[in-house]
Amino acid sequence: MQKISASSLALGPDGLNIAQSFFKPIHGALPPPPTTRNTKISVIGVGNVGMAIAQTILTQDLADEIALVDVNPDKLRGEMLDLQHAAAFLPRTTISASVDHSCTVGSDLVIVTAGARQLPGESRLNLLQRNVSLFSKIIPPLSAGSPETVMMIVSNPVDILTYVAWKLSGLPANRVIGSGTNLDSSRFRFLIADHLDVNAHDVQAYIMGEHGDSSVALWSSISVGGVPILSFLDRQQIAYEKQTLENIHKEVVQGAYEVIGLKGYTSWAIGYSVSNLARTILRDQRKVHPVSVLAKGFYGINGGEVFLSLPTQLGRSGVMGVTSLHLTEDESQQLQKSAMTILEVQSELGI
């Protein structure tokens, strides 16, 4: 396998490392303590999504080292060099790239964006089976090389592929998550903020369930500046149409399709969404995000091992816990239906 190394410090004759001559240590200086270690993130797949994630992680100074992996060595080297050439404008980060998964060894966070593309006329199940075959080749060496890592799946369909990655990796369930509806929830908050003419930061709102058509908008728990919206409207006897709420949720679901139809792919929003999750995990911020986790035993989901998005506290060890939001009966039924939708497809994979 070809390996593409990071830039070398050997600028002197015969490969002599001149750094020690260039910088003179102060009197009595000691080497770094042995407990000092770098934060390493690996990104698997350098397509539009993978590179948006890598670029956002770089600009937000979330890692000391980023390893890129892809099957296309020329594109891989080109992307690595393009990022390295921006070194003067970015936080100091070591960027390496390889077609071999060995460059990911010792990763604190492994982000998987690789996936097979749907062929014309190909069924969803056949595409899934090809992705399972792909994951069976890449996931085991990733977890073997970084047994303490948190693994985040971004490839779609994200909920099912997160389940597949969990099964193939041998990692505990708390250290395998999917990017899930973190981005859907951001779109949701943006649309609500746009309707109310407020800052999206002040909107608390979640999309739960499948990252897809069967997702569930939690209207009952939406608040702006700490004020529950629907109960406020009821108390003030302000009329609103349920169809308006449904249209907003439909916009959330269709959001990615609209972007793809206009520019051919999505990249920047998912890049910021994943780097937001990376920050919470690597800096142990204990923030709550709607991400795809093993949902069995939560919110009445007991029909099987299924990954779907629930409001989850994330930290350095991955999933710290799942919050217990109050759902209306209708929201609970929709969430159960979303879980069954995913389980039905999983049952056809034979895993």
Side-chain angles (χ1 to χ4, degrees):
M1 301 289 278
Q2 179 184 358
K3 186 170 182 179
I4 307 166
S5 62
S7 301
S8 173
L9 292 173
L11 299 179
D14 301 319
L16 177 67
N17 187 338
I18 65 170
Q20 293 178 349
S21 300
F22 198 80
F23 295 102
K24 295 183 178 180
I26 62 173
H27 178 71
L30 296 175
T35 54
T36 300
R37 64 181 302 274
N38 292 335
T39 299
K40 181 175 181 179
I41 299 177
S42 291
V43 179
I44 315 304
V46 296
N48 296 315
V49 171
M51 291 313 300
I53 291 169
Q55 188 268 348
T56 311
I57 285 171
L58 267 175
T59 57
Q60 295 191 7
D61 196 15
L62 298 181
D64 300 295
E65 181 179 355
I66 295 178
L68 306 174
V69 177
D70 199 274
V71 294
N72 185 334
D74 291 338
K75 176 173 172 54
L76 188 60
R77 180 170 175 79
E79 296 288 9
M80 179 191 73
L81 291 173
D82 208 8
L83 289 178
Q84 288 178 338
H85 294 168
F89 319 116
L90 293 168
R92 186 171 184 240
T93 306
T94 300
I95 304 168
S96 61
S98 177
V99 296
D100 192 319
H101 295 103
S102 61
C103 76
T104 69
V105 169
S107 295
D108 299 283
L109 178 64
V110 172
I111 301 170
V112 180
T113 72
R117 291 187 178 182
Q118 192 163 14
L119 302 173
E122 183 178 28
S123 70
R124 184 187 185 198
L125 180 59
N126 192 68
L127 173 63
L128 265 174
Q129 289 170 334
R130 289 200 297 123
N131 273 314
V132 170
S133 178
L134 173 65
F135 269 40
S136 68
K137 296 181 177 68
I138 66 175
I139 297 298
L142 289 172
S143 57
S146 304
E148 302 300 319
T149 195
V150 174
M151 184 174 289
M152 187 193 307
I153 307 302
V154 183
S155 313
N156 279 315
V158 67
D159 303 296
I160 295 173
L161 290 181
T162 304
Y163 166 80
V164 170
W166 172 56
K167 285 293 188 181
L168 293 171
S169 69
L171 295 173
N174 66 296
R175 289 202 273 115
V176 181
I177 67 171
S179 54
T181 59
N182 196 55
L183 176 52
D184 308 60
S185 297
S186 175
R187 291 188 181 117
F188 194 32
R189 293 169 66 186
F190 160 73
L191 291 169
I192 294 168
D194 194 46
H195 274 73
L196 299 176
D197 194 24
V198 297
N199 193 308
H201 283 280
D202 294 323
V203 178
Q204 187 80 3
Y206 292 119
I207 299 289
M208 287 173 65
E210 179 196 15
H211 172 60
D213 296 342
S214 72
S215 64
V216 183
L218 298 189
W219 289 105
S220 65
S221 63
I222 292 175
S223 65
V224 175
V227 179
I229 288 298
L230 295 191
S231 60
F232 172 80
L233 295 177
D234 289 338
R235 286 197 310 273
Q236 299 297 316
Q237 297 182 336
I238 300 173
Y240 61 91
E241 294 184 4
K242 189 175 180 181
Q243 187 60 48
T244 302
L245 307 185
E246 292 175 356
N247 288 341
I248 292 175
H249 183 211
K250 190 177 294 184
E251 281 190 71
V252 172
V253 174
Q254 296 297 321
Y257 299 121
E258 182 180 7
V259 174
I260 291 169
L262 292 169
K263 60 178 274 191
Y265 55 89
T266 61
S267 57
W268 296 118
I270 187 62
Y272 280 106
S273 173
V274 171
S275 66
N276 178 245
L277 296 174
R279 177 186 295 275
T280 295
I281 292 167
L282 295 174
R283 297 191 176 171
D284 199 28
Q285 292 188 335
R286 312 293 178 100
K287 290 174 66 177
V288 175
H289 296 269
V291 291
S292 191
V293 297
L294 183 61
K296 187 174 182 179
F298 297 106
Y299 294 96
I301 300 169
N302 295 299
E305 293 175 332
V306 60
F307 278 71
L308 47 74
S309 286
L310 304 175
T312 304
Q313 186 189 48
L314 298 177
R316 194 62 186 79
S317 60
V319 175
M320 309 298 294
V322 174
T323 61
S324 298
L325 286 176
H326 172 74
L327 306 187
T328 64
E329 185 176 344
D330 182 53
E331 289 168 345
S332 182
Q333 289 176 355
Q334 289 182 56
L335 187 61
Q336 301 292 328
K337 183 179 178 182
S338 188
M340 289 306 300
T341 298
I342 298 171
L343 279 168
E344 286 172 8
V345 179
Q346 278 182 194
S347 66
E348 300 181 67
L349 296 178
I351 296 180

